[in-house]
Amino acid sequence: MSTPNLHPWLWHIFNHEKRTLILSTLWCNWKWRNTQVIANTSWSVTYVCQLIRRQKLECHLYCSRTPQEQDGHWAPLDQGDVKLNVDGSCSSHKSMGGGGVLRGGRGDWQFGFSTCYGQGSPLLAEILAITDGLMHAWRLGYRNIACETDCMEAVDAINIYDMRELSLHVHKDKLLQIHNILRKNWRVKIVHIPQEWNTVADCLAHEGANGLIKEFITPPPLALEAFLQDLANIG
């Protein structure tokens, strides 16, 4: 495409009502092609479509945030209770992993985990990571926690309590399991946060997708830099 034709084409995209979807599609297709050419790895069409939907949602969430939220960072709970951060990861070969970290009121490391779930989808990996994180928190005796994830789709799915609607969800059994966990005698709040605030859990989840299954009582080297950065941000 020549430069004279490029400018009106870009102008048309940026002014289109579905510009977020168009740009997300172009970005993911570019990544798809590079992965095939450079890494000699083939992605399925289904996987690429999932990436496009996730990228579109993340763009929408980012653009809807205030300047304060965009410049924000991870922070512990004001009242000193425990915060659980979880994340799911899914490789181009559909290998799912999950990771999470429990931290105290000063950002101090309480517990972390990386795990592998086998084959599946990005959304399923997120749901399974939330499930595992909650189960670890309960097992360790915490009874008042905030659970943070950067997957809005998972938060929305967990908040489906209409049984007719829930019965239609592809992961209804896993969501019902989370509902049962939440009914235990404890206080849990599941909230969505920006991806940049969830870097420690992201590091742990990626290792899980690569096959690592391990629990951590201290920050592991694979997540140490992200953990220290969070501590620096909160002073």
Side-chain angles (χ1 to χ4, degrees):
M1 181 179 294
S2 63
T3 301
N5 293 327
L6 178 62
H7 292 162
W9 180 71
L10 290 174
W11 184 91
H12 177 72
I13 290 176
F14 287 122
N15 287 277
H16 197 282
E17 62 179 353
K18 294 185 178 180
R19 56 185 172 273
T20 305
L21 176 59
I22 296 172
L23 292 170
S24 298
T25 303
L26 291 172
W27 170 248
C28 291
N29 274 280
W30 179 79
K31 291 177 65 178
W32 185 14
R33 179 185 179 277
N34 281 359
T35 301
Q36 289 178 313
V37 174
I38 299 174
N40 195 29
T41 301
S42 179
W43 290 355
S44 69
V45 174
T46 301
Y47 177 73
V48 176
C49 290
Q50 291 171 342
L51 284 180
I52 292 171
R53 287 193 293 269
R54 183 172 183 176
Q55 186 66 51
K56 176 178 177 291
L57 179 61
E58 289 178 355
C59 287
H60 174 74
L61 291 171
Y62 184 85
C63 293
S64 64
R65 281 152 50 193
T66 65
Q68 291 78 12
E69 290 174 324
Q70 293 178 15
D71 295 333
H73 52 76
W74 181 89
L77 295 177
D78 294 335
Q79 62 268 38
D81 292 324
V82 172
K83 180 173 282 189
L84 167 66
N85 284 83
V86 293
D87 197 16
S89 180
C90 191
S91 72
S92 59
H93 299 293
K94 297 185 179 180
S95 176
M96 299 185 298
V101 55
L102 281 157
R103 285 176 281 191
R106 296 173 297 175
D108 47 306
W109 187 283
Q110 301 290 315
F111 175 82
F113 71 93
S114 292
T115 190
C116 181
Y117 300 123
Q119 300 291 297
S121 67
L123 177 58
L124 180 56
E126 300 281 0
I127 292 173
L128 292 174
I130 293 171
T131 304
D132 274 356
L134 292 174
M135 292 176 66
H136 282 304
W138 175 266
R139 175 178 61 84
L140 293 168
Y142 299 109
R143 296 297 181 262
N144 190 10
I145 69 170
C147 176
E148 295 183 336
T149 171
D150 57 41
C151 182
M152 190 68 204
E153 190 176 0
V155 175
D156 288 341
I158 292 169
N159 286 326
I160 299 175
Y161 282 92
D162 180 85
M163 291 307 297
R164 178 183 297 181
E165 183 180 357
L166 184 60
S167 66
L168 299 175
H169 199 282
V170 64
H171 303 308
K172 58 182 181 296
D173 293 338
K174 302 300 182 184
L175 295 174
L176 284 171
Q177 183 180 3
I178 292 178
H179 289 179
N180 289 333
I181 295 173
L182 295 177
R183 290 191 187 100
K184 293 178 180 290
N185 186 25
W186 63 340
R187 293 175 56 193
V188 180
K189 183 178 181 181
I190 300 179
V191 297
H192 173 265
I193 60 170
Q195 191 174 21
E196 311 90 84
W197 301 6
N198 209 32
T199 53
V200 176
D202 178 68
C203 293
L204 297 170
H206 275 88
E207 291 303 315
N210 290 328
L212 180 65
I213 301 176
K214 193 171 183 178
E215 297 178 359
F216 308 98
I217 59 173
T218 58
L222 59 95
L224 183 58
E225 182 178 354
F227 172 70
L228 294 176
Q229 184 60 57
D230 281 349
L231 287 181
N233 287 336
I234 63 177

